């Protein structure tokens, strides 16, 4: 076990021992390569550098109560990386390669998986980039797939406590028929100015509205939004948000806990009527929201559960999902893959 202050880990990069690499060249994928270097040499005309041929994923492995290591829903991340690859004309990574590389990255860095009870996990970052050279705007013919890991603590420094968010109307993260539904670097570049401003102005993250009508809730920073009202779990149905695997899982758990589940448009005006609101994603799991401020109109939407503590449904959903991830609750949906390490 590494000498790390596990309890005070943040959501940041920490050097580990190894990463895994795999190369697509001459029409086929190479064997996996294990590297102990954090550096990578690249052609100056690689398409990832110029034309944004880049996609990534984020998933986690957890050290459970029983000492076992569980990888959460890797197959969904693999599928989503394939969708992202197709959206920007990259060579998709086959499931078997994705799975093997992720498992190898976890095993090779087993000493960096935070112990049970520290609230930490091993964050896994698969990355696919166009490495073939081009000067004209065209897809590359060579690709590199890398998987690296980093032990992480909670995403929001407040932990599982309600946070304030800001609506940014003067920026769009994604276009209606653009690439908002896939996990490619360009979306994040487009969101940086609004998110940094939100942080600077004291908010934990910023909300983007649908860019066409500016009337509906779209993405909650690097997370999906969900709300609870009258026994219903409501989450936006939008072609420009990333289909969150956490949200997908919460919808199942919400139904099991007795909530009705609705995926539909959420108008900004409706924010006033919610009992609870939250942002969900791999990094934060659930971030309960106390209020949302509209930077331009000045409107403030407060959720009934208030500032102090997460609402009852956010708590229940969080406990159930983390319970499955840490092996405290039966994994009835087979979401976790146990890794021997
Ligand atoms: C823009 C965006 N939305 C939503 C999510 C949540 O997705 P997931 O639950 O699969 O991590 C993420 C990533 O974490 C994201 O970057």
């Amino acid at each position: 076990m590494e000498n790390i202050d596990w309890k005070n880990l943040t959501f940041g990069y920490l050097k580990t021992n190894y990463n895994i690499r795999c190369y697509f060249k001459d029409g086929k994928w190479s064997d996996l390569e294990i590297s102990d270097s954090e550096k990578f040499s690249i052609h100056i005309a690689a398409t990832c550098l110029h034309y944004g041929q880049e996609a990534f994923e984020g998933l986690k492995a957890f050290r459970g109560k029983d000492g076992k290591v569980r990888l959460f829903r890797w197959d969904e991340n693999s599928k989503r990386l394939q969708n992202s690859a197709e959206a920007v004309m990259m060579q998709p990574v086959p499931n078997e390669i994705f799975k093997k590389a992720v498992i190898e990255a976890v095993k090779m860095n087993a000493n960096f998986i935070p112990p049970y009870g520290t609230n930490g996990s091993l964050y896994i970052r698969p990355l696919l980039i166009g490495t073939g050279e081009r000067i004209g705007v065209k897809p590359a013919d060579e690709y590199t797939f890398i998987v690296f890991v980093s032990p992480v603590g909670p995403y929001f420094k407040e932990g599982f406590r309600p946070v304030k968010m800001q609506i940014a109307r003067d920026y769009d993260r994604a276009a209606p028929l653009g690439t908002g539904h896939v996990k490619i670097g360009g979306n994040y570049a487009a969101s940086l100015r609004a998110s940094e401003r939100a942080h600077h102005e004291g908010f934990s993250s910023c909300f983007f509205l649908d860019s066409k009508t500016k009337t509906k809730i779209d993405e909650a920073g690097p997370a999906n939004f969900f709300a609870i009202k009258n026994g219903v779990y409501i989450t936006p149905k939008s072609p420009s948000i990333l289909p969150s695997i956490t949200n997908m899982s919460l919808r199942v758990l919400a139904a099991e806990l007795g909530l009705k589940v609705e995926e539909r448009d959420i108008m900004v005006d409706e924010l006033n009527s919610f009992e609870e609101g939250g942002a969900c994603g791999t990094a934060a799991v659930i971030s309960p929201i106390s209020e949302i401020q509209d930077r331009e109109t000045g409107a403030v939407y407060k959720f009934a559960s208030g500032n102090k503590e997460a609402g009852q449904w956010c708590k229940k959903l969080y406990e159930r999902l983390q319970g499955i991830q840490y092996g405290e609750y039966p994994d009835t949906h087979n979401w976790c893959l146990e890794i021997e390490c």
Side-chain angles (χ1 to χ4, degrees), residues 56-59 72 76-77 80 123 125 155 173 180 182-183 187-188 191 219-225 240-249 280-285:
F56 64 100
E57 270 304 325
L59 63 164
F72 190 68
E76 290 295 339
N77 292 89
R80 197 168 63 185
Y123 184 76
R125 170 55 60 85
Y155 190 75
R173 169 188 168 272
V182 289
K183 204 164 169 71
N187 296 335
Y188 296 82
S191 73
E219 199 73 285
N224 279 182
F225 177 66
S240 53
I241 60 173
L242 189 75
S244 155
I245 295 159
T246 312
N247 193 355
M248 200 183 288
S249 312
C280 63
T282 296
V285 187

Side-chain angles (χ1 to χ4, degrees), residues 47 62 68 125 137 145 151 164 170 176 178 181 215 237 320:
T47 58
F62 301 83
K68 290 183 179 161
R125 170 55 60 85
V137 185
F145 176 54
K164 288 186 186 177
D170 50 347
H181 62 297
T215 56
K237 187 174 178 65
R320 182 65 71 95

Side-chain angles (χ1 to χ4, degrees), residues 140-334:
D141 55 0
E142 291 180 15
Y143 293 89
T144 300
F145 176 54
I146 300 176
V147 181
F148 68 85
V149 300
S150 181
V152 295
Y155 190 75
F156 290 110
K157 60 181 183 313
E158 297 87 349
F160 193 63
R161 245 177 289 136
V163 294
K164 288 186 186 177
M165 305 240 184
Q166 180 183 62
I167 294 176
R169 286 177 183 270
D170 50 347
Y171 289 103
D172 288 326
R173 169 188 168 272
L177 300 176
T179 53
H181 62 297
V182 289
K183 204 164 169 71
I184 62 168
N187 296 335
Y188 296 82
S191 73
L192 279 178
R193 290 197 71 87
S195 335
E196 284 303 296
R197 184 180 64 189
H199 293 154
H200 184 70
E201 293 181 355
F203 297 90
S204 117
S205 195
C206 78
F207 269 73
F208 293 95
L209 304 185
D210 75 292
S211 52
K212 195 168 183 178
T213 70
K214 293 282 184 180
T215 56
K216 300 175 234 172
I217 297 296
D218 220 41
E219 199 73 285
N224 279 182
F225 177 66
F226 72 90
I228 310 284
K229 173 165 82 171
N230 301 329
V232 189
Y233 177 102
I234 308 160
T235 192
K237 187 174 178 65
S238 157
S240 53
I241 60 173
L242 189 75
S244 155
I245 295 159
T246 312
N247 193 355
M248 200 183 288
S249 312
L250 291 176
R251 292 198 295 272
V252 173
L253 299 180
E256 281 178 6
L257 288 166
L259 293 169
K260 208 174 145 225
V261 175
E262 285 178 5
E263 279 180 87
R264 60 164 170 82
D265 287 345
I266 299 182
M267 310 308 283
V268 177
D269 298 345
E270 196 185 354
L271 287 175
N272 259 333
S273 66
F274 293 135
E275 291 150 26
E276 294 181 41
C280 63
T282 296
V285 187
I286 289 178
S287 246
I289 300 172
S290 56
E291 65 176 61
I292 303 174
Q293 290 190 20
D294 190 323
R295 192 174 188 277
E296 201 160 297
T297 66
V300 179
Y301 305 95
K302 289 185 193 274
F303 298 124
S305 53
N307 273 324
K308 298 271 178 292
E309 260 199 74
Q312 56 150 339
W313 288 107
C314 279
K315 266 193 208 153
K316 277 186 202 163
L317 288 163
Y318 179 84
E319 277 162 17
R320 182 65 71 95
L321 182 56
Q322 287 262 277
I324 293 170
Q325 293 171 329
Y326 283 113
E328 300 157 339
Y329 197 85
D331 177 22
T332 50
H333 303 284
N334 266 329

Side-chain angles (χ1 to χ4, degrees), residues 68-191:
K68 290 183 179 161
V69 174
R70 290 174 175 80
L71 179 65
F72 190 68
R73 302 196 81 170
W74 72 270
D75 48 333
E76 290 295 339
N77 292 89
S78 180
K79 213 187 298 171
R80 197 168 63 185
L81 184 64
Q82 289 172 356
N83 291 339
S84 301
E86 272 154 23
V88 292
M89 299 196 76
M90 295 197 287
Q91 183 67 31
V93 178
N95 279 331
E96 318 80 71
I97 293 182
F98 184 96
K99 183 181 184 187
K100 223 171 139 190
V102 166
I103 291 176
E104 195 68 10
V106 173
K107 283 187 163 191
M108 295 296 295
N109 295 294
N111 285 352
F112 290 90
I113 307 171
Y116 175 74
T118 60
N119 235 341
S121 54
L122 191 72
Y123 184 76
I124 304 159
R125 170 55 60 85
L127 177 69
L128 176 65
I129 54 177
T131 35
E133 73 277 12
R134 290 278 185 262
I135 281 292
V137 185
K138 277 198 162 305
D141 55 0
E142 291 180 15
Y143 293 89
T144 300
F145 176 54
I146 300 176
V147 181
F148 68 85
V149 300
S150 181
V152 295
Y155 190 75
F156 290 110
K157 60 181 183 313
E158 297 87 349
F160 193 63
R161 245 177 289 136
V163 294
K164 288 186 186 177
M165 305 240 184
Q166 180 183 62
I167 294 176
R169 286 177 183 270
D170 50 347
Y171 289 103
D172 288 326
R173 169 188 168 272
L177 300 176
T179 53
H181 62 297
V182 289
K183 204 164 169 71
I184 62 168
N187 296 335
Y188 296 82
S191 73

